[in-house]
């Protein structure tokens, strides 16, 4: 056999005990493929203007805030379309929908790369929102749950762990491509990756007959999603999502307001990414031994604790402690958002529940950056910290209330 094959097989052999899945199984291939397509998908869409935005604004004759509103448009469209997505996936599976999403993403990026004014720029982000609904995060997690079955929590942990590297990999690569080719050629290259890499991988590696679809055929009627549990889970996730996405654009300002110089603020902000990735490792290293609620509550509790630290401290040590607590909390909640619905809702409803949860999540993601920026600008950094402390405390209490409701529902459903 060729040496390259031996090396690849050796790597897979080493990774098999980590993933806990059979070597070269369809689930392993799907998780590897989805890790790559999610990196390309998010990097080519939501993360793109962070690097190319100033060049886009100059060439398109648009104000930079309007250019940076593109990802917000994308998230709003994703929120608007997410609700019916779950039922579509239950009927057809993720394979055709994610393949279609890749094609829509290529079309949106083609439109963006050829745009010469605000009209086609905005239309391109609408198309990317439609694409994101079909191929980013929620459908990818549903695809893993379709294939992994009882090992879904483990497989989802691997997928989310890989996703934590998106900005670390994509931003430097995008910057290099823009320097060499310009932002238009970079955007068109990403469009080609969507069409010729993501679409084939989705079509080849994802399940043709998902477990949920087979179960739905066997069941007389679809299982119900418990309304109070869904409401509490959505409120907790949306509140924490509002905080994390709101801080994405203001964290350096908050560090400087706490007394750090610019270099110290940049160093503390950069460390958040490392801590966030470490937080994503928690569930993975736990190997499923820790209950999803326990991990989720621990992560949710770290958010208000981190804001209290920054409110009480004006030193670099305090900022680094905040970055550690906040980053770990962000990483843990990213995993919890994918895995906790598996524990709460009946088998076969994961697709529906995840798609519906995406509505408040995407709305909170879209609203958070401009609202937090407004608070920082007009009320000051301390007011933004107090707002984050209050909202994250509400998120923790809501998740704790969900645990109590879930236990009561389980107790009443058990035979006496």
């Amino acid at each position: 056999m060729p040496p390259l094959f031996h090396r690849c097989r050796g790597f897979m052999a080493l990774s098999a005990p980590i993933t806990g899945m059979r070597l070269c199984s369809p689930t392993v291939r799907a998780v590897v493929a989805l890790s790559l397509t999610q990196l390309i998908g998010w990097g080519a869409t939501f993360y793109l203007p962070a690097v190319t935005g100033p060049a886009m604004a100059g060439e398109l004759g648009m104000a930079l805030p309007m250019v940076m509103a593109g990802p917000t448009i994308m998230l709003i469209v994703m929120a608007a379309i997410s609700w019916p997505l779950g039922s579509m996936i239950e009927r057809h599976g993720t394979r055709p929908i994610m393949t279609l999403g890749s094609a829509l993403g290529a079309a949106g990026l083609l439109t963006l790369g050829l745009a010469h004014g605000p009209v086609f720029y905005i239309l391109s982000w609408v198309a990317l929102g439609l694409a994101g609904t079909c191929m980013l995060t929620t459908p990818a997690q549903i695809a893993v749950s379709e294939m992994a079955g009882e090992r879904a929590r483990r497989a989802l942990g691997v997928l989310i762990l890989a996703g934590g590297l998106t900005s670390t990999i994509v931003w430097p690569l995008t910057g290099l491509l823009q320097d060499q080719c310009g932002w238009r050629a970079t955007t068109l290259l990403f469009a080609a990756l969507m069409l010729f890499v993501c679409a084939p991988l989705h079509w080849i590696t994802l399940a043709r007959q998902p477990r949920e679809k087979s179960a739905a055929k066997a069941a007389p009627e679809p299982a119900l999603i418990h309304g109070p549990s869904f409401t509490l889970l959505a409120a907790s996730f949306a509140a924490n999502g509002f905080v994390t996405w709101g801080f994405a654009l203001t964290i350096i300002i908050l560090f400087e307001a706490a007394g750090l110089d610019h270099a110290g603020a940049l160093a503390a902000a950069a460390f958040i990414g490392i801590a966030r990735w470490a937080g994503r490792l928690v569930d993975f290293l736990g190997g499923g031994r820790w209950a999803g609620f326990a991990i989720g509550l621990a992560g949710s509790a770290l958010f208000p604790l981190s804001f209290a630290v920054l409110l009480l401290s004006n030193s670099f040590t305090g900022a680094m402690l905040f970055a550690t607590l906040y980053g770990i909390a962000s990483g843990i909640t990213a995993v919890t958002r994918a895995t906790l619905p598996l524990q709460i809702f009946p088998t076969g409803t994961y697709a529906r529940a995840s798609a519906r949860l995406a509505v408040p999540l995407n709305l909170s993601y879209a609203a958070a950056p401009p609202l937090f920026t407004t608070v920082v600008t007009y009320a000051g950094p301390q007011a933004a910290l107090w707002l984050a402390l209050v909202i994250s405390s509400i998120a923790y209490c809501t998740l704790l209330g969900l645990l109590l409701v879930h236990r009561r529902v389980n107790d009443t459903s058990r035979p006496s």
Side-chain angles (χ1 to χ4, degrees):
M1 295 181 186
L4 179 60
F5 179 81
H6 283 296
R7 286 197 294 271
C8 290
R9 192 170 71 172
F11 172 77
M12 293 294 287
L14 287 173
S15 65
I18 297 176
T19 61
M21 300 170 195
R22 185 168 55 83
L23 201 61
C24 294
S25 71
T27 300
V28 170
R29 289 196 296 269
V31 170
V32 172
L34 287 170
S35 297
L36 176 60
T37 63
Q38 293 303 287
L39 186 148
I40 294 171
W42 280 109
T45 58
F46 183 84
Y47 287 102
L48 183 67
V51 178
T52 64
M56 287 178 175
E59 193 167 332
L60 296 175
M62 298 168 59
L64 183 59
M66 186 175 180
V67 169
M68 299 305 288
T72 300
I73 295 171
M74 171 184 164
L75 291 172
I76 292 172
V77 173
M78 288 175 67
I81 306 299
S82 290
W83 191 276
L85 180 69
S87 299
M88 292 173 59
I89 289 177
E90 284 186 339
R91 287 196 301 269
H92 306 292
T94 52
R95 181 173 176 247
I97 289 173
M98 294 193 72
T99 304
L100 173 63
S102 304
L104 287 172
L109 288 169
L110 177 64
T111 304
L112 178 60
L114 298 178
H116 286 283
V119 174
F120 281 97
Y121 182 82
I122 293 171
L123 287 175
S124 71
W125 284 103
V126 172
L128 291 175
L130 294 172
T133 309
C134 295
M135 69 164 287
L136 293 179
T137 302
T138 299
Q141 291 170 359
I142 295 170
V144 170
S145 72
E146 285 179 350
M147 301 189 71
E150 294 180 355
R151 295 184 182 274
R153 177 178 169 183
R154 189 75 164 149
L156 286 168
V158 176
L159 178 66
I160 293 165
L161 190 62
L165 300 174
T166 299
S167 60
T168 304
I169 295 172
V170 169
W171 277 342
L173 177 61
T174 303
L176 178 63
L177 288 171
Q178 181 180 236
D179 290 341
Q180 297 297 319
C181 312
W183 73 266
R184 290 188 184 275
T186 300
T187 304
L188 295 176
L189 175 59
F190 282 141
L193 289 176
M194 283 272 203
L195 188 61
F196 297 114
V197 176
C198 296
L201 284 176
H202 291 152
W203 187 256
I204 292 168
T205 62
L206 299 186
R208 287 165 171 77
Q209 181 70 13
R211 286 179 172 86
E212 284 81 357
K213 189 176 178 181
S214 300
K217 287 181 179 179
E221 58 184 47
L224 296 177
I225 296 173
H226 187 244
S229 296
F230 176 86
T231 302
L232 290 169
L233 186 64
S236 180
F237 284 176
N240 275 334
F242 181 83
V243 168
T244 53
W245 285 60
F247 267 64
L249 300 180
T250 58
I251 193 66
I252 294 175
I253 298 172
L254 294 172
F255 281 148
E256 291 176 342
L260 275 66
D261 58 24
H262 189 65
L266 285 174
F271 188 74
I272 290 175
I274 299 173
R276 183 182 290 119
W277 202 73
R280 293 183 181 217
L281 270 173
V282 169
D283 187 76
F284 180 76
L285 295 176
R289 293 187 297 271
W290 303 323
F293 265 115
I295 295 176
L297 284 168
S300 190
L302 289 178
F303 275 124
L305 180 60
S306 69
F307 299 127
V309 167
L310 200 57
L311 280 166
L312 296 172
S313 173
N314 57 1
S315 67
F316 180 74
T317 301
M320 289 299 290
L321 179 57
F322 163 83
T324 301
L325 297 173
Y326 174 84
I328 291 174
S330 299
I332 290 175
T333 53
V335 178
T336 303
R337 279 195 293 267
T339 58
L340 199 54
L342 291 168
Q343 182 176 342
I344 294 173
F345 302 119
T347 303
T349 63
Y350 183 79
R352 227 182 321 145
S354 297
R356 292 179 183 181
L357 285 168
V359 176
L361 271 175
N362 285 322
L363 287 176
S364 69
Y365 294 163
L371 285 177
F372 261 92
T373 302
T374 301
V375 171
V376 170
T377 302
Y378 293 102
Q382 292 290 103
L385 283 173
W386 278 107
L387 177 63
L389 176 62
V390 171
I391 293 176
S392 60
S393 298
I394 292 172
Y396 173 78
C397 294
T398 305
L399 191 60
L400 184 61
L402 173 61
L403 174 60
L404 299 177
V405 169
H406 182 64
R407 285 179 174 174
R408 188 170 67 247
V409 170
N410 282 350
D411 289 341
T412 55
S413 62
R414 288 187 190 127
S416 54

